[in-house]
Amino acid sequence: MRIAVDVNGVERSADIEPRLLLIHFIRDELGLTGSHWGCDTSNCGACVLWLDDTPVKSCTILAAMADGHRVRTVEGLERDGVLDPVQQGFAHCHGLQCGFCTPGMLMTARWLLDHCPDPTPTQVREAISGQVCRCTGYENIVRSVLWAARQERENRA
Amino acid sequence: MTGPADHNGRDGYGAVARKEDARFIRGLGTFIDDVTMPGMLHGAILRSPLPHAVITAIDTSAAEAHPGVAAVITGAMLAERGLAWMPTLSGDVQPVLATDKVRFQGQEVAFVVARDRYAARDALELITVDYEPLPVVVEAGQALAGSAPVIRDDRPGQADNKIFDWSAGDAEATERVFAAADVVVTGDMLYPRCHPAPLETCGAVADLDRVSGRLTIWATTQAPHPHRTFYSLITGLPEHKIRVISPDIGGGFGNKVPIYPGYVCAIVGSMLTGRPVKWVEDRSENLMATSFARDYHMHGEIAATRDGTILGLRARVLADHGAFNGAAQPTKFPAGFFHIFTGSYDLRAAHCEVTGVYTNKAPGGVAYSCSFRVTEAVYLVERMVDLLAAELGADPAELRMRNLLRPEQFPYTCPTGWEYDSGDYPRALRMALDIAGYPELRREQAERRAHGEYMGIGISFFTEGVGAGPRKHMDILGLGMADGADLRVYPTGAAVLAISCQTQGQGHETTFAQIVAAELGLSPDDVEVVHGDTDRTPFGLGTYGSRSTAVSGAAAAIAARRVRERAKIVAAAMLEAAPEDLEWSDGAWRVRGDPEQCRDIRQIAMAAHSGLELPAGVEGHLDAGSVYNPPNLTFPFGAYICVTDVDPGTGVVTVRRFIAVDDCGVRINPMIVAGQIHRGLADGIGMALMQAISFDSDGNCLAGSFMDYLLPTAVECPSWELGSTVTPSPHHPIGAKGIGESATVGSPAAVVNSVIDALAPFGVRHADMPLTPAAVWRAIQGRPLRPDLATS
């Protein structure tokens, strides 16, 4: 079947098998390998990207379901050569080690700050509680998101 | 920039931001499944659904007829090429693809190569295998029963399921100490089978160039150089024609040390099809078939005087290694470094016996940040000390403080022969108690208990031995544990360091640049670190057992110092001074007594490559290399305190606080060190409370996905409270010790001690990990209930 998806602002269309998972469409068909596959069961969140404006686990969504919708991936965070504050925050606060969970974490963090610009540490922890990081013990991810929130508040002020 | 502050403000070589981050925050890392090549095919493995069975027939005809399939490989086909079995890292053998029998659920039976990953999986469904089920050995305790089937009947002379008997320490001296002791406390405890579960599973892309005969294999390996040697030995390809590339690794934790059948299948697939073949396992395959950790069934005994002086320790261990002995550890030590089980205490005698057995479960045993079984050792001794404290009615902090080794005892040879290099244990424990506010916590606990609330305070103190070799004692399949470093300094002074170890997130590209930069007066930005490519790096054993800083870090520092010495000769020529009149200070060679007369590495590097006349016999250029064969392990240590709240109605454990004081000697990048500790602390919560690979009585794995194998998330982890002390290693060139596994090693005991402490009013003396709500609840129910709960 043929699908057309707006991926990071660019219209992408392809002939796909109906059973193709969204994560495989993004990675294998489009070559956007920032989103990762980690578990198959929606538990780890390495595959989190946005479908329209909502973070989803793309390992359990069919590519066909994205037909006519917008997808935003980690590759779409940087704008005009400027890193998103959440990207800056993760680098600034050592919010990543191996980097495998990072794109999914960044997409959730971006969504959180869009909806909750001044989160508490608990709100950050709850926001990323559907995602697994095996390296950071989460502490520096929380700090990274809070750093980005602070940065954005200062930028607005 | 500065990162998260070190507790007491030390900044080591500087908390500089990581070089690695730039690619990862953009989603531009290159992990194994990101590697693609023109014409690449995809492989998938058919695995055994049964834990023990004879294979009576395999029919691959339907799979071969699938239009997307390029090849179907079976054990019989491999046997024709002498590739059906391969060596494990413990000197055993393991089938690449099963020929005669399957011996654990998930064992590799056939390999399909197809045009894409979906077609490969489809074709697996078309393969028919006839199995004749055999009785299974699931529990290690059943393995040596007379009625147990002999799992490894492929091994000549193997008449039972025993792999080894091994012991350390002095049995007679220990018996004498125990016979004379006032108090002897015993305990039986299981360190359950768990799995490192890196977020990226294992995989490989193999590309055999039929014209040149060169094999390039991208693989998720923590040890690219030994892998190259083993691929040569397994396949018969000459080693100089093999290039192993370990791309960005999405976490390893020991899971990516062994050679797995899938890697070899990818190679064979490329040999047969003439095209690159990718194999990436799925999560269930990773959890069910790759190297697990622990599975140690331990009996401990501790002897002490009535007033609380610990005298001796002994242990008997039954070690479940699964169906093939694939533990990745030095040959000499079949139980790893378990015999460091005397821990951090000043004992008179100790003795341990370990028996390894085969069961119908996945092979492995040494994986998951365990520092070669120090994890199990620390857990045993720290639980035994708490059991002793309970028996004596002593405070666990005071009992530890009384028995810790004193600073003046170092270097200290423990009763089983390890020589601890340096330490100030009481200082670390005092700092942890101070950060925790220990007396106040005990007061709070008493108040809460009076109100029927169950709060626990658990302490563990650990000593690790990390950074293997020396190579005369430590090897993997005969390859000694020494690692090389090559340092090139270009004419502009920019430097490239090539190392044999391999980052899986530890930040080697940053910390190793910092080491070289500090030695040469450069900025870390001036030093590029090359790793993970056997064609571009010197030989070495790789990254596991917290050995990168301890071994490769030393090699890098020594190579840099050799560069510096070469630079001295050149600087002397430039300054028209005698080399012996120069001294290195503040990033330059300076004329003694006239420090303004100086040359820095950039100036010297340009001159070293120029037409400058050098003394006779001086070659010019500045490049240097080294191979570091450690004289001893390094011995990091730490004091951990865990505060938990236990809901007696549901058994739910909440970790309220976790205080960790670590001493890993000189810290290169304190930000990265803190991150390593954070990781291991989360591991401790995971292992203590939720992570276990369990099986039913038929040998079915019950933890084959992240729905069943639970991992801690952000809401189960508290905000870690770190402290640090710095006791340099006296034998390491920059005084550093390993840190990568400390927290994984030290923290589970603190969590368990805390939960058991919380349950003390119920009379609970011990409960095995994982302390899930059900396990805690059962432990509570097994004891007299409080009247108010019994009636509710």
Side-chain angles (χ1 to χ4, degrees):
Chain A
M1 64 179 290
R2 188 154 193 88
I3 60 168
V5 186
D6 175 328
V7 180
N8 298 326
V10 179
E11 183 82 4
R12 308 293 293 262
S13 61
D15 284 312
I16 61 160
E17 282 190 66
R19 62 175 174 168
L20 184 69
L21 296 173
L22 182 56
I23 183 66
H24 290 143
F25 173 70
I26 296 293
R27 288 179 50 81
D28 296 347
E29 304 287 324
L30 304 185
L32 294 172
T33 55
S35 306
H36 298 136
W37 167 92
C39 76
D40 274 335
T41 49
S42 292
N43 291 92
C44 82
C47 62
V48 166
L49 45 73
W50 291 11
L51 186 59
D52 293 330
D53 296 310
T54 307
V56 296
K57 288 173 174 168
S58 61
C59 74
T60 35
I61 287 185
L62 295 170
M65 295 161 71
D67 183 31
H69 292 270
R70 283 175 291 118
V71 163
R72 189 180 183 195
T73 69
V74 67
E75 289 90 345
L77 282 180
E78 190 175 357
R79 294 272 166 88
D80 302 324
V82 179
L83 291 172
D84 189 279
V86 297
Q87 291 173 301
Q88 296 174 34
F90 273 64
H92 191 78
C93 299
H94 192 30
L96 67 150
Q97 291 183 30
C98 81
F100 200 78
C101 77
T102 310
M105 290 287 182
L106 289 170
M107 297 313 291
T108 299
R110 182 64 266 153
W111 182 88
L112 174 69
L113 296 188
D114 285 350
H115 293 80
C116 178
D118 188 13
T120 64
T122 301
Q123 284 175 312
V124 176
R125 286 180 185 273
E126 286 172 353
I128 61 169
S129 64
Q131 286 162 259
V132 170
C133 171
R134 301 289 292 145
C135 296
T136 64
Y138 304 103
E139 174 76 16
N140 287 347
I141 293 180
V142 175
R143 292 184 195 178
S144 301
V145 179
L146 295 176
W147 184 94
R150 214 161 37 242
Q151 198 73 8
E152 291 183 358
R153 286 199 303 278
E154 286 170 12
N155 290 348
R156 277 193 299 271
Chain B
M1 62 155 275
T2 55
D6 202 19
H7 181 77
N8 50 6
R10 287 196 182 86
D11 67 353
Y13 284 35
V16 304
R18 297 201 325 165
K19 297 177 173 215
E20 292 89 340
D21 293 349
R23 61 182 185 272
F24 294 131
I25 58 173
R26 291 171 171 86
L28 296 176
T30 304
F31 297 94
I32 192 66
D33 202 20
D34 304 338
V35 174
T36 57
M37 301 187 67
M40 186 176 77
L41 300 171
H42 293 258
I45 292 175
L46 183 71
R47 295 177 182 274
S48 168
L50 297 174
H52 201 195
V54 176
I55 297 174
T56 55
I58 301 182
D59 182 354
T60 60
S61 55
E64 284 161 19
H66 185 288
V69 167
V72 181
I73 302 166
T74 62
M77 291 169 64
L78 294 181
E80 289 169 13
R81 293 165 172 78
L83 283 170
W85 292 74
M86 64 178 196
T88 71
L89 298 189
S90 284
D92 196 356
V93 291
Q94 172 182 359
V96 175
L97 295 172
T99 50
D100 53 339
K101 287 180 177 179
V102 289
R103 293 176 171 86
F104 70 93
Q105 186 185 52
Q107 187 177 337
E108 298 79 1
V109 174
F111 187 70
V112 167
V113 182
R115 67 169 178 248
D116 63 51
R117 59 180 99 227
Y118 286 63
R121 298 268 162 174
D122 287 345
L124 293 185
E125 303 280 324
L126 301 174
I127 299 173
T128 309
V129 184
D130 294 337
Y131 296 102
E132 198 173 281
L134 295 168
V136 296
V137 179
V138 181
E139 295 295 329
Q142 303 167 354
L144 298 179
S147 57
V150 177
I151 297 168
R152 295 301 303 282
D153 57 349
D154 60 290
R155 288 173 64 86
Q158 181 86 37
D160 57 20
N161 291 316
K162 186 179 285 188
I163 307 173
F164 62 84
D165 279 317
W166 187 81
S167 65
D170 186 332
E172 286 175 21
T174 307
E175 176 53 35
R176 283 196 298 275
V177 163
F178 271 77
D182 301 336
V183 181
V184 172
V185 176
T186 65
D188 288 284
M189 57 197 73
L190 168 67
Y191 208 131
R193 177 175 283 233
C194 57
H195 194 283
L199 207 49
E200 177 200 42
T201 59
C202 299
V205 177
D207 181 25
L208 182 73
D209 183 320
R210 280 195 293 184
V211 177
S212 66
R214 278 189 62 93
L215 169 70
T216 305
I217 177 162
W218 289 260
T220 48
T221 171
Q222 300 173 219
H225 289 276
H227 272 223
R228 182 190 59 210
T229 306
F230 298 155
Y231 293 138
S232 175
L233 296 174
I234 293 166
T235 64
L237 293 169
E239 191 173 2
H240 65 293
K241 299 261 188 191
I242 300 176
R243 178 183 189 184
V244 178
I245 298 174
S246 189
D248 288 325
I249 300 289
F253 320 121
N255 186 231
K256 292 168 179 169
V257 177
I259 309 257
Y260 294 122
Y263 302 152
V264 180
C265 286
I267 294 171
V268 175
S270 185
M271 286 175 169
L272 292 180
T273 62
R275 290 165 67 175
V277 173
K278 173 186 282 187
W279 164 76
V280 179
E281 68 190 2
D282 68 23
R283 178 55 58 191
S284 294
E285 296 179 281
N286 179 252
L287 289 172
M288 291 173 69
T290 64
S291 195
F292 73 92
R294 329 286 192 249
D295 219 342
Y296 256 34
H297 302 247
M298 303 186 282
H299 170 80
E301 300 178 10
I302 191 166
T305 62
R306 177 58 58 189
D307 64 356
T309 298
I310 303 174
L311 303 172
L313 187 67
R314 58 186 169 195
R316 280 200 313 277
V317 178
L318 191 59
D320 186 338
H321 283 232
F324 307 96
N325 186 18
Q329 67 201 353
T331 305
K332 240 183 174 174
F333 303 108
F337 299 168
F338 179 79
H339 53 308
I340 198 170
F341 78 126
T342 58
S344 313
Y345 306 105
D346 188 10
L347 306 184
R348 294 190 194 161
H351 184 250
C352 65
E353 299 171 317
V354 182
T355 297
V357 295
Y358 291 119
T359 59
N360 288 117
K361 294 187 283 189
V366 173
Y368 205 176
S369 309
C370 69
S371 300
F372 302 123
R373 304 273 194 202
V374 184
T375 317
E376 290 93 322
V378 166
Y379 182 73
L380 178 78
V381 64
E382 291 304 301
R383 283 293 302 129
M384 292 309 300
V385 169
D386 258 35
L387 288 172
L388 176 63
E391 174 72 21
L392 297 174
D395 180 277
E398 286 172 19
L399 183 63
R400 284 180 171 81
M401 193 64 90
R402 177 184 179 125
N403 288 283
L404 285 176
L405 293 167
R406 298 178 310 279
E408 63 272 19
Q409 289 177 277
F410 291 88
Y412 168 80
T413 302
C414 83
T416 51
W418 298 103
E419 188 185 299
Y420 297 8
D421 57 353
S422 63
D424 187 342
Y425 294 180
R427 180 170 62 147
L429 181 54
R430 272 194 304 274
M431 181 180 286
L433 294 169
D434 287 347
I435 296 172
Y438 187 71
E440 179 53 36
L441 283 175
R442 285 291 176 202
R443 273 194 295 277
E444 181 191 346
Q445 181 184 44
E447 283 169 20
R448 285 183 184 271
R449 277 183 181 165
H451 295 101
E453 293 174 2
Y454 295 87
M455 163 187 171
I457 306 160
I459 302 172
S460 79
F461 198 104
F462 69 91
T463 299
E464 282 187 286
V466 303
R471 67 176 159 206
K472 71 175 173 183
H473 295 310
M474 295 168 196
D475 70 296
I476 295 279
L477 280 190
L479 299 174
M481 290 193 173
D483 284 59
D486 285 344
L487 180 57
R488 294 182 185 178
V489 181
Y490 296 154
T492 57
V496 176
L497 175 74
I499 49 174
S500 57
C501 62
Q502 162 66 32
T503 185
Q504 312 124 42
Q506 299 94 329
H508 291 14
E509 294 168 28
T510 307
T511 49
F512 281 78
Q514 289 182 271
I515 293 171
V516 170
E519 297 290 338
L520 296 182
L522 295 169
S523 156
D525 290 338
D526 299 327
V527 185
E528 189 73 10
V529 176
V530 175
H531 62 103
D533 181 343
T534 57
D535 269 11
R536 298 174 66 205
T537 57
F539 187 85
L541 271 279
T543 296
Y544 43 85
S546 301
R547 61 190 305 282
S548 288
T549 297
V551 185
S552 290
I558 289 169
R561 286 171 191 178
R562 287 182 180 158
V563 165
R564 210 165 65 191
E565 287 308 305
R566 294 178 74 115
K568 184 181 190 178
I569 309 288
V570 179
M574 295 169 77
L575 293 163
E576 297 179 355
E580 52 273 23
D581 291 336
L582 299 187
E583 60 183 359
W584 178 264
S585 76
D586 203 16
W589 282 113
R590 296 170 192 277
V591 176
R592 217 181 300 271
D594 188 7
E596 294 304 305
Q597 288 293 312
C598 65
R599 293 292 183 273
D600 65 21
I601 285 291
R602 292 169 184 281
Q603 295 166 315
I604 298 168
M606 188 58 81
H609 292 81
S610 74
L612 176 74
E613 184 128 359
L614 293 170
V618 177
E619 294 172 318
H621 301 186
L622 294 179
D623 303 347
S626 70
V627 176
Y628 190 70
N629 176 27
N632 188 9
L633 299 174
T634 65
F635 291 79
F637 58 92
Y640 290 174
I641 299 175
C642 178
V643 183
T644 56
D645 295 296
V646 178
D647 182 331
T650 62
V652 170
V653 175
T654 304
V655 177
R656 191 203 305 177
R657 293 178 67 194
F658 203 111
I659 295 94
V661 174
D662 276 89
D663 191 323
C664 58
V666 172
R667 296 182 172 207
I668 300 160
N669 186 321
M671 175 188 83
I672 287 176
V673 169
Q676 295 278 290
I677 295 164
H678 290 167
R679 182 197 68 72
L681 298 177
D683 273 346
I685 286 181
M687 286 182 280
L689 301 184
M690 60 192 87
Q691 293 176 211
I693 300 286
S694 53
F695 295 80
D696 69 13
S697 57
D698 294 327
N700 294 303
C701 181
L702 301 178
S705 81
F706 282 165
M707 290 188 289
D708 305 297
Y709 187 66
L710 303 182
L711 301 169
T713 73
V715 294
E716 283 88 37
C717 294
S719 183
W720 316 111
E721 300 170 62
L722 304 193
S724 69
T725 61
V726 175
T727 312
S729 169
H731 63 76
H732 188 278
I734 58 173
K737 303 179 178 184
I739 186 63
E741 300 166 312
S742 290
T744 310
V745 167
S747 60
V751 180
V752 173
N753 283 344
S754 181
V755 175
I756 301 301
D757 183 52
L759 300 181
F762 295 102
V764 174
R765 188 170 172 271
H766 178 73
D768 281 327
M769 299 183 284
L771 296 170
T772 60
V776 171
W777 193 82
R778 275 198 301 272
I780 293 172
Q781 304 313 307
R783 307 295 161 185
L785 279 178
R786 289 184 308 152
D788 56 326
L789 280 177
T791 54
S792 63

